[in-house]
Amino acid sequence: MSIFRTVSTTCPACSTPVDFELVHSVNVDRSPDLREAILDGSFQRTPCPSCGTQIRIEPEFVYIDRGRGQYIGVWPASKRGDWQARAADTRRVFDETWGKNAPGEAKALGAKLEVRAVFGWFALVEKILARQAGIDDRSLELAKLAVMRTRDETPLPGPRELRLIGITEDGDLELTWAGGGADQVLHVPRQLLADIDADPAAWSVARQRVSEGDVVDFQRDLLAA
């Protein structure tokens, strides 16, 4: 089940106190509408009752989609600097509830789940979209590296992060530098993923790097900095 608890916060614009239904756990098998709300950006967003300013608290919850084999520890973008510790926390909670320390039935179900830890809303949406499109997130990270290598000018990850934001009708990837300002959409052919997977030797070192641990994101160190 999905779990929420009421917390008090204040509007960033007018300082009005606001009661907020903060999520602790999302189970989209039982609440598929929450998955759609995450994708369209409406999840965990509410207007201030006084001035109407949209309030959205940074995410910190567990996202479970057993049907698609996803277990994701979702952390605030502000905690990227502690990504190793937060990844360890994600794995510890998973082990206790679905993994090696869980009861037998839960452990059997957990064996079908892939564990990931992400930071911020953009990263969570990316993981959901990639799984929906049948894209291995490790190959996606390599495709991002390829895009950066072939473009004349690309910003370094830092305040902004290179993220998958959509899939075209033809199956091509839509990437953008998310995180503020005007977002230019980069259209990347789906064939790039096939080319990367067809040449494992050329990408072996980079793939090993992005595959280490539960934070599959080539930007993890750069974003933390």
Side-chain angles (χ1 to χ4, degrees):
M1 63 181 294
S2 300
I3 301 173
F4 293 80
R5 57 188 174 89
T6 302
V7 299
S8 296
T9 186
T10 56
C11 173
C14 69
S15 300
T16 296
V18 178
D19 286 337
F20 195 94
E21 290 298 306
L22 188 66
V23 67
H24 176 71
S25 176
V26 169
N27 186 323
V28 301
D29 299 288
R30 298 183 179 182
S31 304
D33 57 307
L34 299 184
R35 179 179 180 274
E36 297 307 312
I38 291 171
L39 291 176
D40 68 24
S42 62
F43 186 63
Q44 292 287 269
R45 189 187 298 275
T46 189
C48 171
S50 294
C51 70
T53 297
Q54 289 292 318
I55 301 170
R56 196 179 202 189
I57 297 177
E58 282 197 280
E60 187 167 336
F61 60 93
V62 173
Y63 175 94
I64 303 171
D65 186 343
R66 289 198 294 110
R68 297 178 179 85
Q70 289 185 292
Y71 179 99
I72 304 175
V74 189
W75 298 95
S78 60
K79 294 188 178 181
R80 288 182 187 129
D82 295 325
W83 67 264
Q84 292 170 310
R86 300 292 76 77
D89 289 342
T90 297
R91 177 59 68 168
R92 175 180 53 77
V93 174
F94 173 80
D95 284 343
E96 292 173 355
T97 54
W98 298 93
K100 61 184 180 181
N101 300 324
E105 183 177 353
K107 185 187 297 185
L109 294 172
K112 301 176 183 179
L113 298 175
E114 185 175 65
V115 180
R116 293 288 184 261
V118 301
F119 296 85
W121 292 110
F122 293 120
L124 174 59
V125 168
E126 177 178 83
K127 294 298 184 189
I128 296 173
L129 288 175
R131 181 56 59 94
Q132 175 178 296
I135 296 172
D136 186 312
D137 61 347
R138 293 159 293 194
S139 296
L140 175 60
E141 295 307 309
L142 299 181
K144 293 180 190 176
L145 287 170
V147 168
M148 291 185 66
R149 290 174 181 174
T150 56
R151 292 181 64 86
D152 293 334
E153 294 184 10
T154 56
L156 286 175
R160 311 191 73 185
E161 45 193 295
L162 186 58
R163 295 297 178 199
L164 176 71
I165 59 168
I167 308 291
T168 70
E169 292 184 359
D170 296 329
D172 291 340
L173 315 183
E174 294 179 326
L175 304 177
T176 195
W177 286 94
D183 296 331
Q184 177 187 5
V185 177
L186 309 177
H187 291 271
V188 179
R190 180 71 173 255
Q191 183 61 38
L192 176 59
L193 294 169
D195 292 343
I196 289 171
D197 291 340
D199 192 3
W203 292 95
S204 61
V205 174
R207 183 179 291 275
Q208 182 178 4
R209 171 63 175 160
V210 302
S211 301
E212 290 175 346
D214 297 326
V215 181
V216 177
D217 189 341
F218 88 92
Q219 305 164 104
R220 59 192 182 187
D221 292 309
L222 295 169
L223 291 172

